Amino acid sequence: MSQKVILTSIIIALIAGSISFLSFIEINDQAQDKIMPPQDVTVEEYSYDKVSLKWNNMNSRQKNIIVLFKDIQKDEIYNMRILSPNTNYIEMFVKPNIQTKVIVRAVTDEGINFDNDDLTFLMIRNEDEDHIFKLKDTEILLYKGSYIKDFDTFVYNGYDKETDQNYVKIDYIPYNPEENIIEKIIKEKNYSINNFMFPIGIKTLNKNINLNTPRYMNVESVSKVVDTVAFKKSTNYYPLIPTFLTDSDFEQIFPTIVNVYSPIFFNLPVYQSLEIKLYYNQQKEVPHFAELWKVKPEFDEIKFYEDLVFFNELIPIKAQSFRKAELQLNKEKKEFQKNKKALIFVHGLQIIDLKNKTEEGFPWRINSRFEYFNQWFRYIYENDEKFKDFDFYEFLYDTHTQTVEDFGKDLNEIMIKNDFFDEKNGYDEIYFISHSMGGLVSRFTVNQGDYDNIGNIVTINAVNRGSPLQNLPQLFSSQIVKNIVPNTNFMLPLLEIGKKLIVSFFNGENLTIDKEVEEILQSNPVFFPVVFSQLGMLDPFYGGTSINYDNEEYLANLEKTLYPQITEGKIFKSNQLVKNLNKDDKYLDKTVIVYSTTNEKSGDIAYNFSYAVLKAFGDMTGSTDDDIENDGAVPLSSQIIEGVEGPKIDNTYSENTTHKGILSNEKVIEGVFKKYILMGGIQK
C-alpha cells in the first residue's frame, strides 16, 4: 500500500474521531443541562425530635437544594432548609404525631424545581390513640397495642433495591437516646418491654392484589442491642387476617418477635431498638385447588420434596405408597371406563402450603395430605379381590380458600360433569369415607341434589357441628385488638402450662389447665389465635372459619366468662352454615358416624394440650359431658351431631384415640370397610 493511501486513511480516521468527540461533548453538555431530582432519599437516623436524611445528588449544575417537611393532613410546610448544591445530608426537627412528607428539591438557575420520589414518616409519641400511616396504595394502622412502653414508634416508607420492593418500616426507639436501656434495667430491676406481638392493620389499595383471596405478607424483623448491631434478624410470611374477622376496613397482621420478654423471665436480652419492615405489596396468595383424582391401588416407593416448616428449603422424603394417581377429573367431562361402585375419600383441614409444589404423579402436594389415607389404601391393596367392583377417588382441596359448602359444591359439580349420578352411564353405588372437615364437605356434596345411588357417607371424627377451637380466630375482632392493653401477664400462666404438659407427658399425671387458659385469654386475647394460626393449627380464612362451633349457649357462656365487658354475642358467633345443614340434611339416614375421644395421656403432647384447652372451655361454660369430652380437636357433641336424629353412630372405636390417630388404627380401617363399604349401603 502506497504512503499516499496510508496518509489519506489516517486523515479520514482523525476527522471521524474528531466528529465523534465533538458529538460526545455536545451530548454530555445536554445531559448536564438537564436537571434530575435527588435520588435514593432515605432516613438515616432518628431520635426524640430529629430526623437525619441522606440522598444522592444527580446534578452538578443545580443552584441549590431545598428540604421541606410538609404536614400531609393540613397541607402546610412546617420546616424548611436551603442548602448548597452539593449537600447530600441534613438533620432537621420533626413534629410528633404528624405524618410528614419529605421533599428534597433540586432548583435550577431558572427557578425550575425537581422533587424526589415520595417519602413520608410519622413519629408517634401519643400512645393512647391509634394512628394511621397513609401511602398511595396502602394504609397502615398502628393500634394502641402495637406500642412499647418508654419507646417512640417511628414509621416511614422506603424502597429495597435488592428485592425491588416497597416497604413500610416501623422502628421502636427509646424516648431518650442518651439513656442506656440495659443500664436502666439493672438499676430499676422492673423495666420490661410489654409486648412481643405487634397488631398492625393493613388496608391494601393496590388493584393488582386480589383482596378476596387469603394472603400472607412478607415481614422482616430486626432486634438490636445497640444501634448498629443486629442481635436477631428474621424474615417470615404472616397471615393477613381478613376483614370479615376484624370487623373493620383493615386486615390485620401480627409480626411476632418471640424472644422479647421482660427481663424478669430468664434474664433474656432486652433490646435497645426493634425494627419491623412490612413489604406491603409482597403478598402471597394461598393457592386454590379442588381436584378429584381417580387412583389405583398399587404399591410403590416414592420420593417427593416438602418443607419441614412453611418456607424453609425443600427436603426429600421417601415413602411407601399404596395407590397411584391415574386421572384428574374436573368440571369438564372426561371419557373413561367406570366400574359398578365408586368410593371417594375426603381429607380434613391441612396446613397452608404457599409453594403449592406439584410433582408429576404426586397430586397430594404435601406429605400430610398423602399420608392421610395411605393405610386405608394398603388394606385395599392387600385385599384387592374384595374391592374388584370399585373405582377409587380422592378429593384433594386446599381447605382454606372457600367454605366447606363451596368445596362440597365443587366436588358435586365435578361428579355431575363426569356422570357419577347418571342413571345410564353412572355408578350403581357411591360411597364416601371422610375425616374431620371432610365430613362436612362430603355431606354438602350429596345435599346439592336428590340422588338414588348414594351408599353410606362415613364421617370419622368429623366437625359435624364445628369446633370451638375455630372460634378463636374471632378474637381478631377490632373490638378486642383495639382495646388490648400490652402486658406480660400471660407469661406466667404460659410457663405453668409448659411445666404441667411436661410433667403430665412423662409422669402420666392429669393435665388441668383451666385456670391458666382463662388467664391467658383474658390478659392477651390474641395470643392463642396468633400463635396457632402461624403454626397452621388454626385456619383464619374461609375454610377454617366455616367449621367453627354451632352451640350458641356454649359460646355465649364462654364469652361471658372471659369478656364480661363485651356486649354478649359480639365476639363468639355460632355457625349457622352447619346448623342449617344438620337441620335440612336429606341423607342423614345414609350417614355413618365413627367417633372417638381421648384424654391428656394420649401419648401425643400436642393433642394432650388441645384436649386440655377444649376441656377447659367446657368447664368454663358449665357444659355437659358431651361438650367437654373431645378427641383433641372436636367435641364429642359435634362428632355425633348431638340433638339430630337419623345417623348411625358407631362407638366401637371411641376409647382414647386422638383426632388424627384414628386414621391409622387398623381396627377402624378394617371395621369401616367391612361394615359400611363392602356390605353395601343401598336397599334394593
Side-chain angles (χ1 to χ4, degrees):
M1 184 181 295
S2 68
Q3 292 183 351
K4 184 176 181 180
V5 172
I6 295 173
L7 182 61
T8 302
S9 300
I10 292 172
I11 292 171
I12 292 172
L14 288 171
I15 293 171
S18 299
I19 292 171
S20 299
F21 179 71
L22 291 172
S23 299
F24 169 78
I25 292 174
E26 182 180 356
I27 293 170
N28 194 45
D29 283 342
Q30 290 175 356
Q32 288 185 2
D33 286 340
K34 183 181 178 182
I35 303 295
M36 296 179 64
Q39 301 291 306
D40 303 326
V41 181
T42 56
V43 175
E44 285 292 295
E45 296 178 341
Y46 34 82
S47 59
Y48 175 77
D49 58 357
K50 295 176 183 176
V51 172
S52 300
L53 303 173
K54 189 176 182 179
W55 60 89
N56 292 326
N57 283 318
M58 306 303 294
N59 316 291
S60 62
R61 300 178 64 180
Q62 62 198 21
K63 181 179 180 181
N64 51 36
I65 294 287
I66 300 177
V67 181
L68 307 105
F69 283 3
K70 182 178 181 180
D71 183 332
I72 291 178
Q73 185 174 1
K74 293 182 178 180
D75 194 25
E76 62 183 31
I77 303 297
Y78 71 81
N79 199 354
M80 181 179 74
R81 294 283 295 276
I82 300 176
L83 309 172
S84 60
N86 295 323
T87 306
N88 66 348
Y89 179 88
I90 185 68
E91 182 180 77
M92 294 175 63
F93 164 77
V94 58
K95 285 186 177 181
N97 306 314
I98 292 175
Q99 184 168 347
T100 298
K101 180 176 182 178
V102 177
I103 302 170
V104 181
R105 176 172 294 167
V107 184
T108 69
D109 290 331
E110 295 79 15
I112 301 174
N113 301 329
F114 295 88
D115 295 346
N116 64 296
D117 293 333
D118 282 348
L119 171 65
T120 62
F121 61 77
L122 171 65
M123 175 70 81
I124 299 173
R125 296 301 306 277
N126 183 355
E127 299 176 356
D128 296 326
E129 295 181 2
D130 300 338
H131 292 269
I132 297 179
F133 184 75
K134 295 184 178 182
L135 298 172
K136 182 174 64 175
D137 54 359
T138 300
E139 293 183 9
I140 308 295
L141 172 58
L142 281 302
Y143 295 99
K144 289 182 290 185
S146 66
Y147 307 132
I148 303 176
K149 178 185 175 184
D150 291 344
F151 277 60
D152 276 322
T153 304
F154 187 73
V155 188
Y156 61 100
N157 67 308
Y159 170 74
D160 190 328
K161 285 186 175 181
E162 289 185 10
T163 61
D164 190 29
Q165 292 290 331
N166 295 314
Y167 61 81
V168 168
K169 193 173 181 183
I170 306 169
D171 284 5
Y172 298 91
I173 54 178
Y175 281 169
N176 185 352
E178 303 301 323
E179 182 175 32
N180 188 304
I181 298 299
I182 298 178
E183 289 180 2
K184 182 176 180 180
I185 293 166
I186 295 171
K187 291 177 182 178
E188 298 183 5
K189 298 186 183 299
N190 62 356
Y191 182 87
S192 64
I193 290 180
N194 287 331
N195 209 349
F196 69 98
M197 291 176 181
F198 301 88
I200 298 170
I202 307 287
K203 184 188 288 186
T204 299
L205 307 175
N206 187 336
K207 294 182 180 179
N208 295 322
I209 294 177
N210 185 358
L211 301 182
N212 296 317
T213 301
R215 306 179 319 283
Y216 279 64
M217 179 183 288
N218 188 17
V219 179
E220 178 182 287
S221 61
V222 179
S223 307
K224 293 184 177 180
V225 177
V226 295
D227 289 343
T228 57
V229 180
F231 184 82
K232 181 178 180 182
K233 181 177 180 178
S234 63
T235 301
N236 286 302
Y237 278 85
Y238 291 92
L240 280 162
I241 308 303
T243 55
F244 68 80
L245 281 178
T246 66
D247 294 324
S248 75
D249 294 335
F250 286 84
E251 296 173 299
Q252 291 169 4
I253 191 168
F254 289 80
T256 304
I257 302 175
V258 297
N259 59 350
V260 182
Y261 302 140
S262 164
I264 63 172
F265 295 109
F266 308 122
N267 293 318
L268 291 174
V270 175
Y271 303 115
Q272 190 76 359
S273 64
L274 304 170
E275 301 173 358
I276 295 175
K277 190 182 289 186
L278 307 174
Y279 291 91
Y280 53 87
N281 284 329
Q282 194 172 357
Q283 299 181 16
K284 286 190 177 182
E285 294 184 0
V286 176
H288 167 72
F289 58 93
E291 305 164 355
L292 183 62
W293 281 83
K294 189 172 186 292
V295 295
K296 177 184 178 181
E298 181 177 299
F299 175 76
D300 193 13
E301 289 190 352
I302 63 172
K303 179 180 179 181
F304 55 94
Y305 293 86
E306 184 178 346
D307 287 338
L308 280 174
V309 187
F310 288 7
F311 318 110
N312 289 352
E313 292 297 320
L314 294 170
I315 60 168
I317 293 178
K318 291 183 179 180
Q320 290 186 335
S321 175
F322 292 93
R323 81 278 205 193
K324 178 181 180 180
E326 281 192 310
L327 177 68
Q328 180 186 349
L329 304 181
N330 50 38
K331 295 176 183 179
E332 295 179 1
K333 185 174 181 178
K334 290 188 177 180
E335 298 294 337
F336 60 98
Q337 188 68 36
K338 292 186 179 70
N339 213 327
K340 295 179 181 179
K341 304 175 183 181
L343 174 56
I344 302 173
F345 291 87
V346 186
H347 63 74
L349 192 68
Q350 298 290 293
I351 65 169
I352 292 175
D353 174 36
L354 294 180
K355 285 189 173 68
N356 191 33
K357 182 178 174 59
T358 56
E359 299 176 38
E360 186 176 353
F362 193 77
W364 298 274
R365 292 170 172 80
I366 55 175
N367 184 47
S368 60
R369 191 180 282 109
F370 163 74
E371 286 288 351
Y372 224 90
F373 292 112
N374 198 37
Q375 293 305 310
W376 293 72
F377 278 97
R378 178 173 187 164
Y379 183 89
I380 295 170
Y381 171 75
E382 293 174 349
N383 297 273
D384 60 328
E385 187 62 28
K386 297 178 182 179
F387 295 93
K388 62 183 180 180
D389 293 333
F390 282 87
D391 285 336
F392 303 96
Y393 297 89
E394 285 187 74
F395 182 54
L396 307 178
Y397 61 112
D398 64 80
T399 75
H400 310 285
T401 59
Q402 299 182 153
T403 67
V404 283
E405 181 179 28
D406 289 334
F407 281 121
K409 289 178 179 178
D410 281 346
L411 176 53
N412 176 267
E413 188 175 346
I414 294 171
M415 294 172 70
I416 289 175
K417 288 290 185 182
N418 290 279
D419 294 333
F420 275 59
F421 306 116
D422 188 80
E423 187 174 343
K424 181 180 178 181
N425 300 313
Y427 287 103
D428 295 338
E429 301 177 17
I430 300 174
Y431 297 85
F432 291 84
I433 293 179
S434 53
H435 175 258
S436 191
M437 179 180 181
L440 286 175
V441 172
S442 300
R443 293 174 60 203
F444 273 115
T445 298
V446 298
N447 273 279
Q448 301 307 309
D450 297 302
Y451 309 114
D452 296 328
N453 59 347
I454 300 298
N456 289 320
I457 306 161
V458 182
T459 71
I460 303 171
N461 291 49
V463 284
N464 284 315
R465 292 184 59 189
S467 171
L469 290 178
Q470 278 297 158
N471 283 90
L472 288 177
Q474 292 173 347
L475 290 171
F476 290 126
S477 167
S478 57
Q479 287 192 76
I480 294 287
V481 174
K482 283 173 69 72
N483 295 297
I484 289 177
V485 178
N487 62 76
T488 51
N489 296 341
F490 69 96
M491 286 302 303
L492 286 176
L494 185 63
L495 292 170
E496 188 64 22
I497 287 176
K499 185 169 68 175
K500 287 185 175 183
L501 265 174
I502 294 171
V503 171
S504 173
F505 184 76
F506 288 103
N507 296 347
E509 297 181 8
N510 290 335
L511 179 63
T512 303
I513 56 175
D514 298 19
K515 179 174 176 290
E516 290 81 5
V517 169
E518 185 172 345
E519 287 178 357
I520 290 171
L521 285 170
Q522 287 175 337
S523 61
N524 195 329
V526 298
F527 174 78
F528 282 140
V530 165
V531 173
F532 292 166
S533 295
Q534 290 176 7
L535 292 175
M537 297 169 65
L538 287 181
D539 176 18
F541 302 122
Y542 297 109
T545 55
S546 69
I547 58 171
N548 61 295
Y549 209 20
D550 77 342
N551 190 327
E552 293 181 9
E553 182 181 0
Y554 176 106
L555 295 172
N557 288 336
L558 185 62
E559 185 175 304
K560 187 176 180 180
T561 300
L562 293 172
Y563 312 111
Q565 73 278 15
I566 303 290
T567 305
E568 188 174 311
K570 293 293 185 179
I571 302 299
F572 294 133
K573 300 176 179 67
S574 63
N575 192 329
Q576 197 61 44
L577 187 67
V578 298
K579 190 174 291 188
N580 291 339
L581 173 65
N582 292 330
K583 178 169 66 75
D584 302 328
D585 192 341
K586 295 174 288 188
Y587 296 91
L588 286 172
D589 62 325
K590 300 284 188 181
T591 302
V592 177
I593 293 173
V594 176
Y595 74 90
S596 76
T597 58
T598 187
N599 56 41
E600 62 273 83
K601 305 173 187 176
S602 70
D604 185 318
I605 196 166
Y607 278 118
N608 291 355
F609 172 68
S610 55
Y611 165 84
V613 170
L614 280 174
K615 183 176 180 298
F617 287 174
D619 291 338
M620 284 183 224
T621 57
S623 298
T624 63
D625 288 345
D626 287 350
D627 277 324
I628 295 175
E629 292 304 311
N630 65 85
D631 64 355
V634 188
L636 176 60
S637 59
S638 176
Q639 297 180 57
I640 65 176
I641 328 181
E642 188 175 61
V644 174
E645 296 183 359
K648 176 178 176 55
I649 299 176
D650 188 337
N651 64 357
T652 309
Y653 321 102
S654 62
E655 291 300 318
N656 197 23
T657 306
T658 64
H659 183 69
K660 192 71 177 288
I662 194 170
L663 289 175
S664 57
N665 188 311
E666 293 180 0
K667 292 182 180 179
V668 174
I669 295 171
E670 184 177 21
V672 167
F673 278 136
K674 284 184 176 180
K675 289 191 284 186
Y676 307 119
I677 306 300
L678 295 174
M679 293 292 291
I682 295 179
Q683 301 298 322
K684 300 293 186 181

